Amino acid sequence: MKKILQLFLGILTAIGGFFDIGNLVTASQAGAAFRFQLLWALALGTLMVIFLVEMSGRFAAVTKKPIPCAVREHLGARVWLAPFVVLVVLHFLTLGAEIGGVAFALQLVTGISFQLWAIPVGILMWLFLWRATFDAIEYSTSTLGLIALCFVVAAVMYHPAKSDVLSGLLPSLPKQDAAKYWLYAVSIIGALIAPYMFYFYSSGAVEDEWDPTYLTVNRFVSVSGMAFGAVITGAVIVVAGLVLHPLSIGVDSINQTAFMLTGAFPFWGFALFAATMAIACVGASTEVGLSLAYTVAQTFGWNWGQSLEPKKDARFALTYTVAILLATLLMVLGIDPLKLTIYTMALNATVLPIVSIPFLLLMNDGHLMRQFRNGPIANAAAGIIVIISIVLFFVSIPLLIVGG
Amino acid sequence: MQIRHWLGSLVLVAIAGCKSDTRREAERVDASLSWVATAGTVTKGWVENRLPVRYVERVLGEAHEELARNDEAEGVRIVETLRDAVRRRDAAATREPMASLLARWSALQQRSEQMKSQ
């Protein structure tokens, strides 16, 4: 019974935790510019993230060790140095974008500048992390995050042609704006496989004391949670493709996306959009803040755990405190959350090989993973992930320059 | 050798960053088209009571700024009229500028398609 409850909560967490400002922005841009043509990038990214999340959960359940500790212990501190630096920078930028997302949602509703909102948002975020336990954070934000299902309802209510949606799932070449097309494809994948996602998932599994009996739960959660989450992101592409694309509206500002739901929900559409954006970004920013603190604490061997009182893991708590303060400052200084999101998502794609290859190597370590190490299917998927991530490493930055 | 490698990379990045005049013009037209459509959509949303007035005012301000940046004088003029009407909370006064905005949108759309087919 406990496992069934955990399965349900896990799927809920995965759905709610999947959707954030990165998915919202990249999916809106893709739908607005290329209608449904980039749905294949979402499908590809989802398959990749399902495998990575499943592996990170399996790794935590079998070894009971977080990824940073294991990489440091088994591959050496030097191997972990580059992924560590990259992860800290990326977590920080993502945290800034998510705090900016919450502040921007509040600006939509109140008309007060997001720069002013960033300060109370940062303080509330910190208080939430300081006071709440891991489960409270995980389940409250994820349950509220289900509000994002309004995009799925809207997509159904707008009656897209099924054949058009299905044909978008097949990769196709762009008729024009090739650089922009590939940049958006890379950004969608970058938003889906944000490294914080599988590092957070793995640390959460260690906090929840998973053991090999949780492997079935892990498999169901990673497959169904990520797949349902992808359906929400796909719905954003469809809604943007049906509302913004026919009017030739490109997404150069988040303001240009806020009316996407008003055709389906005339009086609630705007409020639903703002609420979805705020809740999704609150959920993601708590996860990113924690994931950053986990990564730093696990790297240096400090006490860590959101279920501990801050006085028992002071350096862990100090890490997320400083990160939230600095990320809030980014927004106070007036950095555009949309631009920050676009750059961060492209960077996510760029650094994927650096952060994923050491972990994928450990998944094949028979001494560490015993009979639970990667089988042929998981290894084939890992091989494809590595190849795609190396391609992304080389193309992301040039695409950002040419297509951005 | 290393300096030459870095210089080569910089040149490649600079080439990639340089845009032809035609491409720049196409981007200018597309950006204007996008903001003209945005201004029209949010104003319609306000008239139909679907969008809050403060949001609409903010978006019209942003559209005005972006259209001015893209030298879209006609669009700037129409959006100014719309802003005044919204500021006065006069929904009826948006009718005429909305019609002009639609005409401008069609003209920009045609221009954008022409540029893409070239």
Side-chain angles (χ1 to χ4, degrees), chain B residues 43-105:
Chain B
T43 308
K44 187 167 175 271
W46 172 67
V47 170
E48 290 171 353
N49 242 345
R50 294 174 181 211
L51 294 172
V53 72
R54 262 188 281 189
Y55 162 73
V56 175
E57 283 178 329
R58 185 179 276 271
V59 177
L60 288 178
E62 205 175 346
H64 184 273
E65 211 173 283
E66 293 297 325
L67 289 168
R69 186 180 300 165
N70 287 297
D71 301 324
E72 173 46 39
E74 178 67 7
V76 168
R77 191 191 59 74
I78 303 168
V79 169
E80 267 170 12
T81 323
L82 274 180
R83 269 169 89 185
D84 284 344
V86 174
R87 204 173 290 144
R88 283 183 275 116
R89 310 288 188 262
D90 186 353
T94 62
R95 243 175 261 153
E96 204 180 309
M98 280 292 274
S100 314
L101 204 64
L102 184 61
R104 191 67 201 140
W105 182 83

Side-chain angles (χ1 to χ4, degrees), chain A residues 2-154:
Chain A
K2 190 188 163 201
K3 289 259 165 67
I4 292 172
L5 181 69
Q6 281 204 310
L7 183 69
F8 172 73
L9 290 171
I11 292 172
L12 192 73
T13 306
I15 299 170
F18 187 94
F19 193 68
D20 68 348
I21 186 143
N23 297 118
L24 181 64
V25 165
T26 56
S28 305
Q29 287 187 317
F34 299 100
R35 208 160 176 257
F36 313 144
Q37 212 188 340
L38 278 165
L39 280 169
W40 67 266
L42 175 67
L44 175 67
T46 305
L47 273 178
M48 289 170 73
V49 80
I50 284 175
F51 276 102
L52 284 173
V53 166
E54 190 279 329
M55 285 181 212
S56 66
R58 179 154 43 100
F59 185 84
V62 173
T63 66
K64 298 189 173 58
K65 281 180 185 174
I67 299 168
C69 285
V71 175
R72 195 169 39 97
E73 284 171 18
H74 293 264
L75 301 176
R78 278 188 187 175
V79 175
W80 177 240
L81 184 65
F84 171 68
V85 172
V86 161
L87 275 170
V88 169
V89 173
L90 262 185
H91 271 89
F92 173 66
L93 294 177
T94 312
L95 185 59
E98 304 292 355
I99 290 177
V102 184
F104 205 94
L106 291 167
Q107 173 183 299
L108 283 176
V109 179
T110 61
I112 298 168
S113 160
F114 75 89
Q115 288 164 267
L116 289 177
W117 274 118
I119 299 168
V121 167
I123 293 171
L124 285 174
M125 198 83 67
W126 174 78
L127 269 178
F128 189 40
L129 285 184
W130 190 264
R131 301 288 303 174
T133 62
F134 181 80
D135 286 350
I137 291 171
E138 208 180 9
Y139 300 141
S140 62
T141 55
S142 303
T143 311
L144 289 172
L146 291 180
I147 194 174
L149 286 169
C150 64
F151 274 99
V152 180
V153 177

Side-chain angles (χ1 to χ4, degrees), chain A residues 194-227:
Chain A
Y196 84 81
M197 191 102 98
F198 56 97
Y199 277 84
F200 176 79
Y201 186 80
S202 153
S203 298
V206 176
E207 279 229 40
D208 281 343
E209 297 175 346
W210 280 16
D211 57 38
T213 62
Y214 280 79
L215 290 181
T216 314
V217 172
N218 172 51
R219 196 164 294 162
F220 270 106
V221 168
S222 45
V223 174
S224 9
M226 297 297 135

